[in-house]
Amino acid sequence: MSGCEGGSCSTCSTCGSDDPDRLPPGMLAAYNLNQSTADGILVWVETVQGPDGPEVAAVSAELLGAARKLSDGRVFAVVFGGLEVKPLYPQLFGYGVDTLYHVRGKGMETYRPEPYADCMASLVRRIEPATILMGATSRGRELAPRLAAVLGTGLTADCTGLTADRRRMVMTRPAFGGNLTADIECSKFPQMATVRQGTFPRPPVEEGVGTAIYWQYEPDCESGILSDEKVAESSEDIRDARILISLGDGIRDRSLIDVAESVASKVGGMVSCSRSLVERGWMPRSRQVGMSGRNVAPELYIAFGISGAVQHRTGMSGAKRVIAVNSDPDAPIHGFADLSLIADAGDVLREMDRALSKKG
Amino acid sequence: MRYVVAVKQVPDTMEMSVDENGSLVRAGVPSVLNPYDEYALVKIRGIMDDGDELVVFTMGPPQAEAALRRCLQLGADRAYLLTDPAFAGADVWATARVLTAFIGKFEPGASLYIFGRQAIDGDTGQVPYEVAGLMGVRQFAYVDSLESDDDGILAVQDYGDMVRRVRVPEGSVVSFGSVDPNGVFPSIQDRLDAESKEIVRLDRVALGLGLYSVGLKGSLTRIVSTRTVTSARRNRKVEIRDPAKGAGFIIDELEALR
């Protein structure tokens, strides 16, 4: 194909123009070339730094497992990083990846939304996936919209469910304004979604083979990064907790957080919270349950002083048992609890701490 | 230096209803300036020097003028209201298209384009990065603080597990990561000053956008159905006055779990 640049002419279709609008209209109609040939699912594999090098983020593993089940077509994965990512290959193929694109290049080891999005766009034009999935992590929620804008396609953020009808995806996400979930479709390919951790089960690693392809990419802009500092996050994650003592807006006294921590340590649980405590600066965002925080699924969720706005309920809907303590008998949380106590949250917390201390 | 801040008017309450298309019904619900945007506005004012200019804009119904008025009270110099019946029902893409068209046509070449982390009614926080992608400029998410020195602007980004210090080039999109729960209160003088400031209204034609590029028609995603989430919980409501007794109830539940 010497001298022929893809999409630059409209004389033939042999060079695989990625823009069907450039083909003569008659040709479009005659051969139905307007029909996208997109197929398969592309998953962005996010890596997190573990003690022995990079690890596959839990949500990415879940998405690969889901992609295998949702698609009759191929499962593509893209991972960024240097040689240290190579030990992850068997695991990724074990999740059912057919083709793994390993992006290497100077300046591509560190996460940056702009070159990552541009690079993924170049990949998407090559492999034409029907669907692109990412975890709804802090990075995924920033990268996905950038990529969607570059590709000019639709994006459904923060999904809590995905179903497939052949190539077409129906994305489910909580909608505001009541106890609603909305099913959303994207009107063109590739369809894009970010998905919350915990939406799909973590797949087992099976024996699997696939193709790994190095994808060279050079970012075209300076990063300007002066420093990246790891934040010593407590190794405990509220998503792993069996029991959650969760605090909300009704907690008016800051010392109650220590009381709650004390109770949690005695019963083997963790303290989580609703958005208002994060906004007050009393709790870190990593402890927040809800749409802008984390989805949790503990055995027992005890909500102290949480009113139960839909944004919060979405995050706690996976809990097996819910106890709500709120002095307002009309608080919506009471409708979503197995047991609700109409009492002051702070008083009950203090009493629990006292009673548990006595038991020692 | 000129800073352009995108804001949104949001319903004050979580009690909202949805129409048959799954779109929000805003009528009859009191509205406020999205607290995340307010925080961003106050933050950016903090790094401004004398002679710098602060411009705000929003896409919304004509009533969204109230949110802009509040921005003017908080120190914005000029305001634009992008309003057109055709803008209704926009998804992230259609919203980003309108905002980007506005920036390109009316406020190009600003020092920074500022957004709040997310709107409290939608909670997705995708618009800033789609705008950055469409504009083809750098994007800085979850910004905790901005400072300017001789070489330009420095940002501290908080990704949750990592804090990044980075130099922000001119013309970038910056999205602040936090919110001030207490809000701010403009002085009476600021309120009076705001009355004389102008709000420019722009519609679809003024932005040079086609009917099929905006609103519901210009959206790339659509809601096909909504379902009510039914709670399958066996609810037992106990009204307890004595906290000790309530604590006992919960401890019993905890014991049962072991």
Side-chain angles (χ1 to χ4, degrees):
Chain A
M1 287 197 283
S2 60
C4 175
E5 288 175 41
S8 63
C9 62
S10 32
T11 46
C12 69
S13 59
T14 47
C15 58
S17 161
D18 56 8
D19 186 357
D21 298 340
R22 284 171 173 271
L23 293 168
M27 206 164 169
L28 278 179
Y31 299 102
N32 197 14
L33 288 176
N34 218 0
Q35 190 74 38
S36 167
T37 53
D39 197 12
I41 299 179
L42 172 67
V43 178
W44 174 47
V45 177
E46 191 172 352
T47 54
V48 290
Q49 203 56 42
D52 325 305
E55 293 169 8
V56 177
V59 63
S60 302
E62 293 166 15
L63 285 179
L64 289 171
R68 181 73 283 165
K69 293 204 179 81
L70 287 170
S71 171
D72 313 328
R74 299 177 73 80
V75 175
F76 304 97
V78 53
V79 66
F80 293 82
L83 277 174
E84 74 281 0
V85 175
K86 258 187 125 165
L88 299 179
Y89 286 6
Q91 186 189 352
L92 293 173
F93 293 134
Y95 289 142
V97 173
D98 296 307
T99 310
L100 172 65
Y101 288 87
H102 181 174
V103 179
R104 298 180 62 181
K106 224 177 169 179
M108 294 300 277
E109 300 90 4
T110 10
Y111 166 78
R112 276 198 293 145
E114 305 89 357
Y116 273 41
D118 290 344
C119 172
M120 282 187 72
S122 71
L123 259 175
V124 166
R125 290 189 191 108
R126 158 70 80 89
I127 61 189
E128 288 191 50
T131 307
I132 304 168
L133 299 178
M134 296 189 197
T137 59
S138 58
R139 290 174 181 79
R141 291 167 58 122
E142 176 197 19
L143 179 58
R146 175 106 193 173
L147 178 58
V150 172
L151 293 170
T153 193
L155 165 68
T156 309
D158 269 333
C159 297
T160 53
L162 287 177
T163 47
D165 175 18
R166 290 162 175 260
R167 299 187 294 171
R168 295 226 71 97
M169 285 289 159
V170 176
M171 296 130 184
T172 307
R173 70 166 310 223
F176 13 70
N179 323 319
L180 285 178
T181 59
D183 291 337
I184 296 171
E185 277 182 3
C186 182
S187 57
K188 68 187 269 195
F189 292 116
Q191 321 156 79
M192 286 188 67
T194 57
V195 182
R196 312 214 97 196
Q197 180 168 352
T199 300
F200 297 102
R202 199 182 169 115
V205 183
E206 286 159 3
E207 282 291 302
V209 284
T211 318
I213 298 173
Y214 281 141
W215 190 260
Q216 280 290 336
Y217 191 84
E218 296 290 333
D220 61 356
C221 62
E222 286 287 315
S223 77
I225 297 172
L226 304 173
S227 68
D228 274 345
E229 208 174 304
K230 288 283 282 180
V231 177
E233 214 185 350
S234 70
S235 55
E236 288 177 302
D237 189 327
I238 54 170
R239 287 175 290 213
D240 301 329
R242 275 187 75 223
I243 297 169
L244 280 177
I245 312 280
S246 206
L247 310 177
D249 200 39
I251 300 294
R252 286 283 157 193
D253 180 354
R254 196 166 179 168
S255 66
L256 283 168
I257 292 176
D258 296 331
V259 177
E261 287 286 358
S262 157
V263 169
S265 68
K266 281 170 192 142
V267 300
M270 280 186 74
V271 179
S272 57
C273 65
S274 72
R275 190 168 74 189
S276 51
L277 291 201
V278 177
E279 288 176 359
R280 275 189 229 161
W282 290 8
M283 297 281 283
R285 196 171 279 278
S286 59
R287 296 288 187 95
Q288 185 191 331
V289 173
M291 246 161 107
S292 48
R294 293 182 171 175
N295 273 5
V296 295
E299 299 282 324
L300 179 61
Y301 188 82
I302 316 179
F304 287 98
I306 289 177
S307 62
V310 64
Q311 285 88 342
H312 184 80
R313 293 204 308 267
T314 320
M316 55 166 266
S317 57
K320 296 229 166 52
R321 245 181 114 64
V322 176
I323 302 178
V325 185
N326 196 315
S327 51
D328 175 8
D330 298 325
I333 188 88
H334 291 309
F336 294 85
D338 299 288
L339 170 68
S340 44
L341 305 183
I342 318 293
D344 182 78
D347 292 346
V348 174
L349 255 181
R350 287 207 181 85
E351 280 301 330
M352 278 180 72
D353 192 36
R354 212 164 297 153
L356 289 164
S357 302
K358 261 187 235 157
K359 282 189 179 173
Chain B
M1 304 277 261
R2 177 162 49 97
Y3 300 97
V4 177
V5 185
V7 301
K8 188 181 180 190
Q9 188 180 47
V10 294
D12 195 6
T13 161
M14 293 298 171
E15 303 299 317
M16 285 179 289
S17 54
V18 240
D19 66 13
E20 62 274 19
N21 296 326
S23 296
L24 280 175
V25 177
R26 288 199 172 76
V29 182
S31 297
V32 292
L33 174 61
N34 178 32
Y36 284 87
D37 301 338
E38 186 170 299
Y39 177 83
L41 189 75
V42 171
K43 276 285 205 182
I44 200 68
R45 229 185 53 170
I47 69 156
M48 280 172 60
D49 293 325
D50 285 346
D52 287 355
E53 201 182 10
L54 188 57
V55 182
V56 291
F57 71 106
T58 190
M59 179 179 100
Q63 308 87 283
E65 200 171 306
L68 291 174
R69 192 59 68 190
R70 175 153 176 87
C71 295
L72 294 173
Q73 292 174 354
L74 292 171
D77 298 302
R78 289 187 287 126
Y80 293 92
L81 175 60
L82 320 182
T83 189
D84 194 302
F87 291 166
D91 72 347
V92 182
W93 169 259
T95 306
R97 277 291 295 273
V98 170
L99 304 193
T100 310
F102 162 76
I103 289 169
K105 206 157 177 187
F106 291 89
E107 293 291 335
S111 305
L112 291 179
Y113 296 95
I114 320 277
F115 291 77
R117 179 195 177 95
Q118 64 199 39
I120 57 168
D121 59 344
D123 251 354
T124 61
Q126 309 288 284
V127 171
Y129 318 120
E130 289 226 352
V131 171
L134 286 174
M135 288 170 69
V137 300
R138 301 278 306 275
Q139 65 186 47
F140 297 89
Y142 318 116
V143 169
D144 200 42
S145 64
L146 281 183
E147 53 185 281
S148 60
D149 62 8
D150 296 342
D151 294 334
I153 298 167
L154 281 173
V156 177
Q157 293 176 277
D158 184 358
Y159 275 95
D161 56 351
M162 174 187 85
V163 173
R164 171 171 285 181
R165 282 173 56 77
V166 61
R167 199 158 276 292
V168 180
E170 288 263 308
S172 297
V173 164
V174 167
S175 158
F176 279 94
S178 193
V179 70
D180 180 0
N182 300 317
V184 275
F185 299 96
S187 70
I188 293 180
Q189 190 56 50
D190 287 340
R191 280 169 190 270
L192 288 174
D193 289 351
E195 290 306 313
S196 61
K197 292 177 189 167
E198 187 193 6
I199 295 177
V200 180
R201 287 195 182 205
L202 299 170
D203 62 4
R204 177 181 66 78
V205 176
L207 296 177
L209 287 167
L211 198 53
Y212 286 83
S213 300
V214 298
L216 199 58
K217 285 179 184 151
S219 295
L220 291 172
T221 56
R222 66 197 161 90
I223 296 175
V224 284
S225 65
T226 55
R227 276 189 315 269
T228 313
V229 181
T230 47
S231 98
R233 305 217 180 265
R234 178 174 57 90
N235 188 264
R236 186 153 61 100
K237 206 176 261 188
V238 194
E239 192 162 336
I240 292 181
R241 300 266 169 241
D242 178 14
K245 213 172 147 198
F249 258 107
I250 300 178
I251 290 171
D252 287 348
E253 290 269 346
L254 284 164
E255 293 287 327
L257 202 63
R258 289 192 179 182

